[in-house]
Amino acid sequence: KVSRVTVPISPEVSDGIQRLARSIGVSLKSVLLAAHLKVVGLMSGQADVFTGLFVNGRPERTDGERVLGIFLNILALRFKLQGGAWADLARGAFEAERELLPFRRYPIQELQRIHGAENLFDTAFNFTHFHVYQRLQNMAGVESLLHEGNEQTYYALTAQFNLDETSSRVHLALEYRELELCPEQLETIAGYYTRALAAIVNDPQARHESLCLLSEREQRLLAAWNETHVDYPNDGCFHQLFEMQVE
């Protein structure tokens, strides 16, 4: 079973993300992908991360937009979270996706067949911007009352980012498989995304590796679990201390 959790993004953070993308010359998608990669790195405990990236493989030729069918594919994106500013991380995400573009039509099912794996990664990233709805606003006699998008995830966690055409706001929904994650875990993970996006906006030139995305509660637990200092008697031999502990 697949469930979904909506992650609130304030108007200030949404606007800040879009301003940052314009100022450093990358797409909005790249800034959001940078935040996703940072969260995946935290959850995996690795600086070398692996995630799925949804891409559009529609033919780039005259009338390509008229061709019927689904051209959605998923690429396997590997990224090394090297130290640097948040802005550099966004630029790195942009370059990583650009390097994968020549392979955007290679079927993910074929990769799975070659490697004998049902899934090659546990997380995935998707960004949608249905700008086609702009046409409806200019059509006489047509009024758009409601539009919704429904996705299906096959991974433990999928970050579904969207730029709303009406409000120009960035939205985020986390879809997860209940067999692998629980609501309490998703609440924690949602906090990681919220803090990562806020940090990018607050100081794009700050070094991302210096920020702890853990909540205050998690940081207190981490400090408590690692507080292992114990005062030992220093007036006896080791074997005597060992015997005392046995007793």
Side-chain angles (χ1 to χ4, degrees):
K1 181 181 178 181
V2 175
S3 295
R4 166 182 283 226
V5 170
T6 300
V7 182
I9 298 177
S10 69
E12 294 76 16
V13 171
S14 177
D15 294 341
I17 295 171
Q18 296 178 66
R19 285 195 304 270
L20 174 62
R22 292 191 294 268
S23 67
I24 64 177
V26 302
S27 65
L28 171 61
K29 177 183 181 181
S30 298
V31 179
L32 300 174
L33 177 58
H36 171 73
L37 293 170
K38 181 67 178 180
V39 172
V40 173
L42 170 66
M43 293 189 297
S44 65
Q46 303 291 328
D48 191 357
V49 300
F50 205 48
T51 191
L53 176 65
F54 284 79
V55 294
N56 180 12
R58 182 172 289 277
E60 297 163 352
R61 61 185 67 177
T62 303
D63 292 332
E65 75 280 2
R66 294 176 172 270
V67 181
L68 300 179
I70 297 177
F71 296 90
L72 196 64
N73 191 28
I74 305 176
L75 298 177
L77 173 64
R78 182 181 182 184
F79 190 88
K80 293 187 177 181
L81 289 164
Q82 300 175 344
W86 287 104
D88 295 330
L89 184 61
R91 294 188 186 99
F94 177 82
E95 292 297 330
E97 181 179 7
R98 189 171 69 169
E99 291 177 0
L100 284 178
L101 287 180
F103 313 101
R104 61 191 177 279
R105 297 188 180 94
Y106 193 88
I108 185 64
Q109 293 84 359
E110 181 64 12
L111 278 179
Q112 293 170 336
R113 186 192 66 80
I114 292 174
H115 292 280
E118 179 181 356
N119 287 326
L120 299 175
F121 30 79
D122 299 314
T123 66
F125 170 92
N126 189 26
F127 172 75
T128 54
H129 178 203
F130 297 112
H131 50 80
V132 68
Y133 287 113
Q134 288 178 338
R135 302 178 187 175
L136 296 179
Q137 299 177 7
N138 301 322
M139 294 179 63
V142 176
E143 180 183 3
S144 176
L145 299 178
L146 176 67
H147 55 271
E148 296 181 352
N150 295 310
E151 300 87 6
Q152 174 68 45
T153 185
Y154 300 97
Y155 306 100
L157 177 71
T158 300
Q160 299 279 2
F161 283 95
N162 170 256
L163 180 62
D164 185 79
E165 187 55 43
T166 304
S167 64
S168 297
R169 289 269 304 276
V170 175
H171 297 278
L172 169 61
L174 299 177
E175 295 182 345
Y176 66 100
R177 297 179 61 182
E178 293 185 356
L179 287 175
E180 300 174 76
L181 295 170
C182 68
E184 291 76 14
Q185 289 174 307
L186 260 293
E187 182 179 353
T188 300
I189 294 171
Y192 299 155
Y193 280 94
T194 299
R195 287 185 281 276
L197 293 171
I200 292 175
V201 172
N202 292 337
D203 192 354
Q205 300 308 319
R207 298 187 68 88
H208 66 82
E209 74 273 16
S210 64
L211 175 70
C212 180
L213 295 179
L214 299 178
S215 65
E216 292 184 3
R217 175 180 176 274
E218 289 176 304
Q219 293 184 51
R220 288 195 300 269
L221 286 174
L222 190 63
W225 290 343
N226 285 282
E227 183 53 60
T228 58
H229 177 76
V230 177
D231 291 326
Y232 292 98
N234 55 11
D235 57 350
C237 297
F238 176 79
H239 73 278
Q240 294 172 321
L241 298 177
F242 186 88
E243 291 170 351
M244 291 173 56
Q245 180 63 30
V246 171
E247 294 177 357

